[in-house]
Amino acid sequence: MKKDIILAGVGGQGILTIATILGHAAISRGWQLKQAEVHGMSQRGGDVQSHLRLSDKEIHSDLITMGDADMILSVEPMEALRYLPYLSKEGWIITNSNPFVNIPNYPDVEDVYAEIRKIKNHKLFDADAIAKEIKANRSMNVVVLGAAIKHLGFSKEEIEDTIKAIFTPRGEAIVEQNITALNTGYELG
Amino acid sequence: MEKLMLLGDEAFAQGALDAGVSGFYGYPGTPSTEIIEFIQRSKQANADKIHHTWSSNEKTAYEAALGMSYAGKRAVVTMKHVGLNVAADPFMNSAMTGANGGLLVVVADDPSMHSSQNEQDSRFFGKFAMIPILEPSNQQECYDMAFFGFELSEKFGIPVMLRLTTRLSHSRSGVIPRERLPQNEISIPENPVQYVLLPGIARQKYKGLIAAQEGYEKEAENSPFNRYDLEAKDTSKGIIASGLAYNYLREVYGEEPIPYPVIKISQYPLPMAQIHKLYDMCDSLLILEEGMPVIEEMLKGASFKGSKPIHGRLDGTIARDGELNPNKVAKALGLEDKYGMDVPDIVAPRPPALCVGCPHIDSFKTLNEALKDYENARVFGDIGCYTLGFLPPYQSINSCVDMGASITMAKGASDSGIHPSIAVIGDSTFTHSGMTGLMDCIYEKTNIVIIILDNSTTGMTGGQEYTAKGRLEEICIGLGVEKEHIRTFFPHIRNHEEMIQIYKEEIEYEGVSVIIPRRECIQTLKRRTKKGK
């Protein structure tokens, strides 16, 4: 089994937290992982992506081969489209619909949605609004993750355990917020 | 032992720590920064008082590491590829002095220029200096090569280069650590002339370096990191893959065996006997390497007089520039080149930008206003976040070349008659390479305005300390700038008029002016406030 996931967003939106949770869950299964991150100049409000590769066998390349990704998991709708060359024919796009507008020429958001809807396997929802509704404003990324996990072959319990393991040092309240965010996202998946 | 999840940079850092290093020296630069940052956070390193303070620049870092090696202890010096240009003088000469305690020069290259001005390949530098080079292909090798590199360095008494690239530096994977080694005790070099490169001695040392090459090559030939899989039946092609390229080669064949004979290179000088063997048994060669065509050029040069084709970046089989990836490798092998879907036209580029609340924004906006009345104004920029001031809506700067070049280029332009000639440089960059240029200006009373943007950190690389923090005015006065022409202000909208006024006054002054807009980087400020809560 292998899962190749492109995580996409804008610098500072928390895609590395998603990578940490999924990576931790994979390791708990005894899987291997490679995770290519972006550091440096691009982090300053530019587009960022992470190649996350999980497998029960040896992984060679740190980069995902174009046309091979099982999923584009994005916290920003236009950023989800930027990595389409990587998506496999049966691959999923799971993305937040709330645009992050920090450039003057951001396209009409309805056009962005139309392009996402052209992809056979997609989930498009306002993860920011959902996070706000459940009073977990800072867990937008975990809502998006929640919607993805069944399509990645993980059980909800596995990810819950991981969230507990990772966030417990930061306090019960943070753990609870993230579990709620995960469950709410899961229902959308 | 338990597996650690580490970036390539961190895997090396932990490896060096476990291999008995006594000190890390370096200046921040993407993608090398995380090596020393990891050590600064490491409880193990702090408990053992392993040196991990940032140096003023790569040259001072290199020389300090050389001094630690002189004292018999193991030392690491880290930098990005262009940092080695700054440290080139001690680097080249350290190949002549050799090492006493193990000395590892860790250089992280940035093919595709994710965060750099060029994509120079440090293996050329290693070859130029005639020292052994290690090129890991994965995180475990990053870790293991720290042990191996120190051993190699001490066995031959020579600095060893470890070459990383962005994709490995910044990719995380599992690493199995080993038993720790103790640090070395102090031991002064036995040979009193080892580090004295007077011409007569240097000539002897150079003969020694030349004579040592055979041993280095033999070592590479038997390296645990080089592989010679020459049994494959299809000899229409032989493949040489170095470092990361070897992973991509294995990736494109997945679980299938590679049908051609393959040599994996992770240690240099090139094991030529094995490469000749491959050449003789195959009809052609394909060279896969991350970065510039270093191996390819060597093989196409004098070593091979034959007429068999050698394919790679030089003949266009693989693009001459840019980072390697599995798709490029698949194409070079004539395999199916997979592709998802095109990016829709509506997707707009999202370049990096100055952060909301960044003090540089106010400094640039007011500078633009102050320069409105000067038709011929030129603003020379430097290396840092503020290089983004080139982009709209600011469009404030006209150049970005190398660390410190703002001041000296502005000087040359001023010498040519350009007025106003303005330099914009960050506080950390000024510390790194700005002071000597300022001395030139003072000595000649150049008509110039130097703006030192003081955000009290090395911002672009994520907020590291630097050696002149809090002492910029003292330094400028000490170097000889007239007190009344060192002006500071707090770059903020509420001081808008004052800032423009100061810029204008100093432009009108015929001589050296230094203006210091001072306000903390919004990122370090956020982090500090968060911590304080």
Side-chain angles (χ1 to χ4, degrees):
Chain A
M1 255 276 268
K2 67 124 192 128
K3 291 291 168 195
D4 284 343
I5 308 154
I6 300 269
L7 301 167
V10 180
Q13 278 193 306
I15 64 167
L16 288 183
T17 307
I18 300 180
T20 306
I21 297 171
L22 283 174
H24 195 283
I27 303 250
S28 304
R29 282 184 173 188
W31 283 23
Q32 307 203 19
L33 85 82
K34 282 205 175 185
Q35 179 197 328
E37 303 172 3
V38 174
H39 296 232
M41 196 174 213
S42 324
Q43 283 177 297
R44 305 273 167 271
D47 56 272
V48 291
Q49 91 290 5
S50 171
H51 290 219
L52 179 63
R53 310 195 66 200
L54 312 172
S55 174
D56 55 357
K57 298 198 187 66
E58 187 182 359
I59 304 167
H60 299 296
S61 170
D62 297 86
L63 291 175
I64 295 171
T65 305
M66 278 189 255
D68 260 3
D70 299 290
M71 181 180 286
I72 295 172
L73 185 52
S74 180
V75 290
E76 206 282 343
M78 184 179 78
E79 293 309 320
L81 296 171
R82 198 182 299 282
Y83 304 99
L84 280 182
Y86 285 92
L87 194 64
S88 74
K89 297 282 172 279
E90 294 303 313
W92 278 87
I93 287 193
I94 310 258
T95 182
N96 184 8
S97 63
N98 186 29
F100 189 98
V101 182
N102 64 344
I103 46 171
N105 53 339
Y106 195 97
D108 184 332
V109 75
E110 286 305 326
D111 293 342
V112 172
Y113 297 158
E115 291 290 346
I116 292 169
R117 291 191 184 108
K118 284 185 193 165
I119 309 300
K120 187 176 72 177
N121 297 322
H122 74 266
K123 296 277 172 200
L124 177 69
F125 50 88
D126 188 340
D128 282 287
I130 293 164
K132 211 170 177 180
E133 220 168 275
I134 58 171
K135 298 192 169 53
N137 281 8
R138 310 219 13 221
S139 303
M140 172 276 281
N141 51 355
V142 179
V143 174
V144 180
L145 169 65
I149 53 182
K150 72 174 86 151
H151 305 291
L152 291 172
F154 284 100
S155 73
K156 197 169 71 175
E157 291 68 32
E158 270 180 293
I159 306 292
E160 277 182 356
D161 289 346
T162 304
I163 286 179
K164 282 176 198 154
I166 293 174
F167 291 100
T168 298
R170 287 163 59 184
E172 259 324 293
I174 304 259
V175 173
E176 277 313 308
Q177 265 180 28
N178 281 296
I179 299 269
T180 314
L182 181 82
N183 284 312
T184 315
Y186 189 81
E187 296 306 318
L188 299 166
Chain B
M1 280 196 224
E2 203 189 333
K3 239 190 201 180
L4 309 169
M5 276 296 140
L6 299 173
L7 296 177
D9 276 354
E10 298 172 344
F12 167 75
Q14 184 64 49
L17 209 51
D18 292 345
V21 73
S22 296
F24 289 81
Y25 294 88
Y27 182 82
T30 314
S32 71
T33 315
E34 291 79 7
I35 297 171
I36 288 185
E37 284 195 323
F38 179 83
I39 295 300
Q40 291 177 338
R41 288 193 308 266
S42 160
K43 281 187 190 140
Q44 182 184 334
N46 284 300
D48 293 352
K49 299 199 165 56
I50 305 300
H51 182 276
H52 54 54
T53 307
W54 292 111
S55 304
S56 291
N57 64 38
E58 293 85 355
K59 179 177 183 289
T60 66
Y62 198 105
E63 289 152 352
L66 187 64
M68 184 170 267
S69 164
Y70 175 95
K73 300 212 171 190
R74 298 191 185 110
V76 166
V77 56
T78 76
M79 62 201 76
K80 68 183 295 172
H81 57 338
V82 289
L84 186 53
N85 300 337
V86 177
D89 201 359
F91 171 70
M92 292 301 294
N93 291 319
S94 70
M96 300 283 282
T97 64
N100 187 23
L103 177 57
L104 290 183
V105 185
V106 185
V107 192
D109 293 355
D110 189 17
S112 271
M113 298 171 258
H114 297 280
S115 216
S116 303
Q117 312 93 273
N118 76 26
E119 57 176 40
Q120 68 185 59
D121 191 317
S122 298
R123 292 175 300 163
F124 275 118
F125 249 128
K127 187 176 177 305
F128 191 20
M130 300 168 72
I131 63 171
I133 306 167
L134 301 173
E135 190 188 6
S137 67
N138 59 40
Q139 292 77 359
Q140 185 68 52
E141 284 187 351
C142 289
Y143 180 89
D144 293 335
M145 279 180 177
F147 284 76
F148 183 81
F150 280 134
E151 209 177 290
L152 189 64
S153 173
E154 288 176 2
K155 176 175 173 185
F156 287 99
I158 190 81
V160 170
M161 172 185 281
L162 188 126
R163 182 217 185 204
L164 297 167
T165 51
T166 306
R167 213 40 82 176
L168 184 54
S169 285
H170 289 168
S171 175
R172 202 176 287 283
S173 193
V175 171
I176 302 166
R178 296 196 217 170
E179 205 69 47
R180 285 189 71 185
L181 299 177
Q183 294 181 44
N184 285 351
E185 297 296 328
I186 286 183
S187 68
I188 301 304
E190 281 166 24
N191 179 357
V193 303
Q194 184 185 341
Y195 287 82
V196 188
L197 296 179
L198 281 167
I201 302 166
R203 280 191 283 272
Q204 288 308 312
K205 302 265 339 170
Y206 187 42
K207 282 186 199 299
L209 181 61
I210 292 166
Q213 297 301 306
E214 204 183 319
Y216 301 164
E217 188 177 323
K218 190 136 210 92
E219 196 73 18
E221 170 132 18
N222 299 319
S223 169
F225 302 105
N226 289 346
R227 287 176 63 107
Y228 315 103
D229 297 321
L230 305 180
E231 292 73 34
K233 292 278 171 296
D234 188 347
T235 54
S236 61
K237 220 191 287 272
I239 301 172
I240 299 173
S242 74
L244 272 187
Y246 182 71
N247 296 347
Y248 298 140
L249 174 65
R250 295 198 58 194
E251 179 73 27
V252 299
Y253 284 105
E255 286 169 38
E256 303 287 313
I258 300 167
Y260 310 106
V262 177
I263 292 182
K264 176 207 173 207
I265 299 291
S266 277
Q267 185 176 339
Y268 305 72
L270 287 178
M272 288 310 293
Q274 294 288 342
I275 289 177
H276 273 284
K277 211 159 139 190
L278 182 76
Y279 183 79
D280 289 341
M281 67 193 282
C282 297
D283 302 335
S284 67
L285 292 184
L286 174 65
I287 318 294
L288 303 172
E289 45 194 330
E290 178 71 301
M292 290 177 163
V294 177
I295 298 175
E296 197 182 343
E297 279 193 358
M298 284 168 69
L299 299 192
K300 280 189 169 159
S303 320
F304 290 86
K305 299 253 174 353
S307 55
K308 293 178 188 174
I310 296 176
H311 300 296
R313 288 191 188 258
L314 290 174
D315 74 345
T317 303
I318 297 167
R320 182 71 172 76
D321 62 333
E323 195 180 11
L324 215 55
N325 61 38
N327 295 85
K328 288 185 185 176
V329 171
K331 220 171 129 198
L333 286 158
L335 300 172
E336 182 206 357
D337 182 20
K338 290 183 258 184
Y339 189 76
M341 281 151 271
D342 283 330
V343 180
D345 292 337
I346 55 162
V347 174
R350 199 190 297 260
L354 292 174
C355 306
V356 176
C358 172
H360 301 336
I361 292 175
D362 296 287
S363 300
F364 281 136
K365 276 187 181 163
T366 44
L367 178 63
N368 286 353
E369 284 214 26
L371 292 178
K372 252 198 253 157
D373 304 331
Y374 297 95
E375 226 175 283
N376 301 317
R378 293 281 98 182
V379 180
F380 297 87
D382 224 296
I383 310 288
C385 289
Y386 47 92
T387 311
L388 298 171
F390 168 75
L391 302 173
Y394 318 106
Q395 295 174 293
S396 302
I397 62 173
N398 305 113
S399 74
C400 157
V401 181
D402 68 86
M403 296 285 282
S406 59
I407 295 178
T408 25
M409 281 182 73
K411 179 183 189 303
S414 169
D415 294 346
S416 317
I418 285 183
H419 178 76
S421 189
I422 293 174
V424 173
I425 186 168
D427 46 350
S428 179
T429 306
F430 176 73
T431 314
H432 177 288
S433 283
M435 290 187 269
T436 43
L438 175 56
M439 295 274 283
D440 289 349
C441 297
I442 293 162
Y443 188 62
E444 292 188 50
K445 209 169 187 289
T446 306
N447 191 7
I448 190 174
V449 176
I450 298 167
I451 302 168
I452 307 177
L453 298 170
D454 181 0
N455 61 358
S456 305
T457 192
T458 314
M460 181 96 268
T461 45
Q464 292 77 25
E465 290 287 315
Y466 65 96
T467 55
K469 188 170 162 177
R471 297 187 294 115
L472 292 178
E473 286 98 317
E474 282 172 51
I475 288 169
C476 290
I477 292 169
L479 293 178
V481 183
E482 294 158 293
K483 248 186 195 163
E484 55 277 26
H485 294 288
I486 300 174
R487 312 283 298 270
T488 62
F489 59 71
F490 186 81
H492 192 276
I493 184 88
R494 66 169 186 257
N495 299 330
H496 193 79
E497 294 309 317
E498 179 205 347
M499 289 152 71
I500 296 172
Q501 187 58 31
I502 291 176
Y503 280 136
K504 281 185 170 167
E505 283 169 18
E506 295 310 321
I507 287 168
E508 286 307 318
Y509 171 64
E510 210 169 303
V512 179
S513 300
V514 173
I515 300 175
I516 307 175
R518 175 173 294 133
R519 175 152 71 84
E520 185 177 356
C521 166
I522 194 79
Q523 295 293 343
T524 58
L525 178 69
K526 271 190 204 161
R527 233 174 298 155
R528 213 159 44 83
T529 344
K530 208 169 156 189
K531 249 191 207 164
K533 268 182 196 168

